[in-house]
Amino acid sequence: MDYEYIVVERPVEGVALVRLNRPKQYNALNLQVLTELAHAFESLDKDEGVRAIVLTGNDKAFAAGADIKEMITRTSAEMKSAPFVAGWDAVAMARKPVIAAVSGYALGGGAELAWACDIIIASETAVFGQPEINLGIIPGAGGTQRLARTVGKYLTMEMVLNDRRLTAEEAARFGLVNHVYPLASYLDEAIKLAAKLASRAPLAVQYAKEAVLFAFESPLRAGLQHERLLFYTLFGTEDQKEGMQAFIEKRAPEWKGR
Ligand code: DAK
């Protein structure tokens, strides 16, 4: 598939960088962007050469939300049947770790794209918000759910009901952002972190991600059982033998991803 509104690069071994590229519209997510995003994430998730993915926009905007001009005339049925959600879902469903590198506006569906990632790196200029209420709608790509599960009821209510926006520093303080860096370095730092993840045992990384995400979806007992099952499964991999052997031999492990 040729992409019009996203760019996919391989900045370092094992890492894919997906850039939203609709700068004049602040990377507003129209159907085409979301379709391309879904395609890219599905392909990268299958690509054995890719072990971590960085999703970014540009310095001014990660993404200012779904495309309002495209949505305005749509009916309920049209919104439901158009494959809008595929983009957000593909990011959220990736088995490999996904890092959002956010600068400038991350609003509405743009913020929800960041919330769908596993780790969020922000530039000092990043602004996060769910301003859908100003348009007479509510978040529809996970905002109310992922925010509530991450920062709790009260801050989520203020953000969703009253368009409270968070600076990068505030988002970090509330546990929504892992690290804040200057504008000049946030993307490099995100790629550096992705390279570190890409150098780790691939199956263990994927299973660890799966286990953590399961915590959002299950009662504790089911989560503990799921974690244990994944833990036992890893003892059937070559990487577990290699990791433990390397420890005993005091050398660096060589991961095979099997
Ligand atoms: N949609 C369309 N165009 C947008 C846009 C957006 N979300 N955000 C910005 N733009 C366009 C502007 O229209 C303008 O285009 P021209 O007029 O130059 O053609 C250009 O980008 C620059 O924007 P501004 O002139 O407004 O620039 P400012 O610096 O003054 O302001 C801003 C930047 C980001 C604060 C402002 O543009 C803004 O407030 N944008 C809207 C933010 C917003 O309300 N976002 C939420 C959108 S609703 C779904 C699930 C979820 C969703 C959809 C479907 N399903 C389950 C199906 C998500 C919905 C949303 O995200």
Side-chain angles (χ1 to χ4, degrees), residues 20 24 56 61 63 73 109 119 121 130 150 152 161 172 220 248:
L20 300 170
K24 284 190 185 142
T56 196
T73 58
I119 290 177
I121 302 291
Q130 300 284 173
T150 309
L161 271 55
L220 182 61
I248 291 164

Side-chain angles (χ1 to χ4, degrees), residues 22-29 34 64-71 79-80 82-85 88 105 107-110 112 130-132 134-135 137-142 165:
R22 216 185 157 212
K24 284 190 185 142
Q25 287 78 26
Y26 282 16
N27 289 332
L29 304 165
L34 291 163
D67 191 318
I68 298 166
K69 293 166 193 164
E70 191 183 63
M71 283 186 298
M79 283 304 286
K80 188 157 187 267
F84 277 107
V85 287
W88 290 286
Y105 294 110
L107 299 177
E112 288 169 308
Q130 300 284 173
E132 290 89 341
N134 301 332
L135 303 169
I137 58 170
I138 67 169
R165 301 196 185 181

Side-chain angles (χ1 to χ4, degrees), residues 35-138:
T35 304
E36 291 181 10
L37 204 55
H39 183 272
F41 268 77
E42 278 158 19
S43 319
L44 293 170
D45 211 33
K46 285 186 209 132
D47 185 333
E48 286 198 0
V50 173
R51 292 182 173 184
I53 304 169
V54 177
L55 174 61
T56 196
N58 55 51
D59 290 352
K60 281 194 176 164
F62 179 71
D67 191 318
I68 298 166
K69 293 166 193 164
E70 191 183 63
M71 283 186 298
I72 183 169
T73 58
R74 286 187 189 260
T75 63
S76 307
E78 284 166 355
M79 283 304 286
K80 188 157 187 267
S81 61
F84 277 107
V85 287
W88 290 286
D89 283 356
V91 173
M93 306 280 280
R95 290 169 308 133
K96 296 168 186 176
V98 183
I99 299 176
V102 179
S103 183
Y105 294 110
L107 299 177
E112 288 169 308
L113 213 47
W115 312 146
C117 296
D118 304 311
I119 290 177
I120 304 180
I121 302 291
S123 84
E124 286 165 344
T125 66
V127 178
F128 297 87
Q130 300 284 173
E132 290 89 341
I133 199 78
N134 301 332
L135 303 169
I137 58 170
I138 67 169

Side-chain angles (χ1 to χ4, degrees), residues 51 95-97 197-198 200-210:
R51 292 182 173 184
R95 290 169 308 133
K96 296 168 186 176
L197 298 180
R200 297 192 177 281
L203 290 174
V205 167
Q206 285 175 30
Y207 284 24
K209 168 173 170 164
E210 182 180 327

